[in-house]
Amino acid sequence: MTISIEEQIEELRAELSNAVDPAERCQIIAELYLAQAELNLAVAELSGTVDTEPPF
């Protein structure tokens, strides 16, 4: 799972470096932040530093 997220992040970075339209750049940045958050969550789940189970 994390490998595909990392690949997605790299692709978004490449797209961002080539984007000239401000609206497109904003959309790519938002997608990049979301992908980075997903990666951080996946890493935290794998390392056991966060519990994603509901408290009940």
Side-chain angles (χ1 to χ4, degrees):
M1 179 175 186
T2 58
I3 293 174
S4 62
I5 295 173
E6 290 172 345
E7 290 172 353
Q8 181 183 9
I9 290 171
E10 291 304 315
E11 290 175 5
L12 287 168
R13 287 180 178 154
E15 284 183 36
L16 183 61
S17 68
N18 294 324
V20 291
D21 180 45
E24 182 182 11
R25 289 184 61 82
C26 287
Q27 181 180 358
I28 294 170
I29 290 170
E31 291 176 17
L32 181 59
Y33 285 154
L34 181 59
Q36 290 171 329
E38 289 177 6
L39 177 62
N40 290 339
L41 179 60
V43 169
E45 287 175 343
L46 290 173
S47 68
T49 58
V50 68
D51 184 18
T52 57
E53 294 295 320
F56 47 88

